[in-house]
């Protein structure tokens, strides 16, 4: 595990190398950049290639994505989306006729989750619409900022567990596995909370649930690295066609889970939330 983290750090801190960006299976022509522990995405190129409008008057920028209206001012850390204000992790900036925004900005505006693949320096955005198998948290909305009580105690939180519910379990499911992963490139899928196996007739888990006895990684609250912007956290629940998947090694990350469950995975439901220090 330590070697894997060191490899991710080496990849992440190679600032002068470009970052390839894919959204909905489309690789955009311009590359992203890394600066100040952030990945910045070229917004004008991205929106042009996914055929969504962006307009600019001076430093003021506005646009739409599938009917959602957003506006912001270059150099400031406020984004307005359908009249709702979001505090950004870093201000958008302009250079060479392009506008660069962070992954948090793109995820919130387009309602996409993202994953970082350090081997290829690839940032992949995927939408969640029209999924049958779904998971949700009672205490906060998807793509929202995680309330402080769910943060780790040593950074001022309460390490409170959320209440999760899921529906649309695929036919043939014999067990499920719950992971709560940090998708920031520095952590690259590390799971803060892992519960398995869950039987398919269970559709809810909370702090006092007996299923907590099946916890592999007990939840102690999230702890994003300071000064690295918003971290995307994903609740993932895997539906499997076996009662107890056989695997070797550890299940510390989403990638290790996918590799372990590969031949038994029927479907996966995802629910995103963000947090930063």
């Amino acid at each position: 595990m330590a070697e894997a983290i060191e490899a991710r750090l080496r990849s992440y801190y190679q600032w002068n190398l470009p970052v390839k960006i894919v959204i909905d299976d489309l690789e955009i022509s311009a590359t992203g950049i890394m600066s100040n522990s952030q990945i910045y995405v070229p917004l004008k190129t991205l929106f042009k290639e996914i055929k969504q409008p962006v307009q600019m008057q001076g430093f003021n920028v506005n646009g739409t994505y599938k009917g959602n209206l957003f506006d912001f001012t270059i150099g400031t850390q406020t984004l307005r989306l359908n009249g709702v204000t979001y505090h950004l992790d870093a201000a958008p900036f302009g250079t060479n006729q392009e506008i660069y925004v962070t992954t948090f900005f793109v995820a919130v505006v387009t309602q996409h989750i993202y994953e970082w693949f350090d081997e290829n320096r690839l940032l992949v955005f995927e939408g969640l619409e029209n999924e049958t198998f779904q998971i949700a948290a009672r205490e906060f909305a998807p793509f929202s900022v995680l309330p402080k009580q769910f943060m780790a105690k040593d950074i001022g939180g309460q390490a409170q567990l959320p209440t999760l519910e899921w529906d649309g379990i695929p036919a043939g499911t014999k067990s499920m596995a719950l992971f709560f992963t940090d998708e920031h490139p520095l952590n690259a899928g590390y799971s803060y909370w892992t519960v398995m196996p869950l039987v398919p007739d269970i559709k809810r888990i909370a702090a006092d649930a007996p299923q907590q006895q099946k916890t592999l990684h007990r939840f102690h609250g999230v702890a994003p690295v300071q000064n690295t912007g918003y971290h995307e956290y994903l609740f993932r629940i895997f539906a499997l066609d076996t009662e107890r998947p056989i695997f070797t090694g550890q299940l510390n990350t989403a990638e290790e889970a996918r590799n372990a469950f590969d031949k038994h995975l029927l479907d996966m439901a995802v629910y995103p939330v963000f947090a930063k220090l």
Side-chain angles (χ1 to χ4, degrees), residues 9-19 32-40 121 184-186 227-228:
L9 287 170
R10 285 194 298 270
S11 172
Y12 187 67
Y13 282 113
Q14 294 178 58
W15 305 115
N16 295 325
L17 295 179
V19 175
I33 59 177
M34 284 183 163
S35 178
N36 299 325
S37 301
Q38 299 275 9
I39 297 177
Y40 288 86
R121 294 184 64 80
H184 193 283
L186 287 178
N227 298 321
T228 56

Side-chain angles (χ1 to χ4, degrees), residues 139-214:
E139 294 88 350
F140 41 83
F143 298 100
S144 64
V145 175
L146 191 69
K148 193 169 184 178
Q149 65 261 35
F150 301 100
M151 307 283 277
K153 291 182 179 180
D154 60 356
I155 56 174
Q158 301 173 20
Q160 179 181 324
L161 277 167
T163 301
L164 301 177
E165 299 173 322
W166 48 88
D167 199 9
I169 298 171
T173 298
K174 294 183 179 179
S175 71
M176 295 178 294
L178 171 67
F179 284 67
F180 182 40
T181 61
D182 182 350
E183 298 304 315
H184 193 283
L186 287 178
N187 287 347
Y190 173 77
S191 182
Y192 277 90
W193 184 28
T194 306
V195 185
M196 64 176 287
L198 293 167
V199 296
D201 58 350
I202 292 175
K203 296 187 177 181
R204 176 182 178 273
I205 190 168
D208 59 352
Q211 292 79 25
Q212 287 292 29
Q213 298 173 4
K214 302 179 184 299

Side-chain angles (χ1 to χ4, degrees), residues 38-227:
Q38 299 275 9
I39 297 177
Y40 288 86
V41 178
L43 182 69
K44 290 174 67 177
T45 299
L46 171 65
F47 268 57
K48 180 180 178 181
E49 296 188 7
I50 62 176
K51 298 180 173 58
Q52 297 290 320
V54 170
Q55 297 179 349
M56 182 173 179
Q57 292 184 335
F59 292 100
N60 298 317
V61 184
N62 64 79
T64 61
Y65 181 82
K66 296 185 177 179
N68 296 316
L69 305 176
F70 67 89
D71 64 273
F72 63 95
T73 301
I74 291 176
T76 64
Q77 290 183 236
T78 299
L79 164 70
R80 285 172 295 275
L81 176 62
N82 295 328
V84 177
T85 299
Y86 293 82
H87 183 73
L88 298 172
D89 42 359
F93 64 89
T95 180
N96 297 326
Q97 304 300 311
E98 183 56 273
I99 301 168
Y100 285 91
V101 297
T102 63
T103 51
F104 172 74
F105 182 108
V106 175
V108 168
V109 166
T110 66
Q111 301 288 278
H112 280 59
I113 64 170
Y114 68 81
E115 289 191 71
W116 167 255
F117 298 89
D118 56 83
E119 290 183 2
N120 303 314
R121 294 184 64 80
L122 176 66
L123 184 69
V124 177
F125 289 94
E126 297 178 356
L128 298 178
E129 63 272 11
N130 301 322
E131 291 192 352
T132 301
F133 187 28
Q134 297 182 338
I135 184 173
R138 280 192 177 183
E139 294 88 350
F140 41 83
F143 298 100
S144 64
V145 175
L146 191 69
K148 193 169 184 178
Q149 65 261 35
F150 301 100
M151 307 283 277
K153 291 182 179 180
D154 60 356
I155 56 174
Q158 301 173 20
Q160 179 181 324
L161 277 167
T163 301
L164 301 177
E165 299 173 322
W166 48 88
D167 199 9
I169 298 171
T173 298
K174 294 183 179 179
S175 71
M176 295 178 294
L178 171 67
F179 284 67
F180 182 40
T181 61
D182 182 350
E183 298 304 315
H184 193 283
L186 287 178
N187 287 347
Y190 173 77
S191 182
Y192 277 90
W193 184 28
T194 306
V195 185
M196 64 176 287
L198 293 167
V199 296
D201 58 350
I202 292 175
K203 296 187 177 181
R204 176 182 178 273
I205 190 168
D208 59 352
Q211 292 79 25
Q212 287 292 29
Q213 298 173 4
K214 302 179 184 299
T215 299
L216 297 184
H217 289 176
R218 192 163 297 281
F219 186 73
H220 297 290
V222 302
V225 179
Q226 192 169 14
N227 298 321

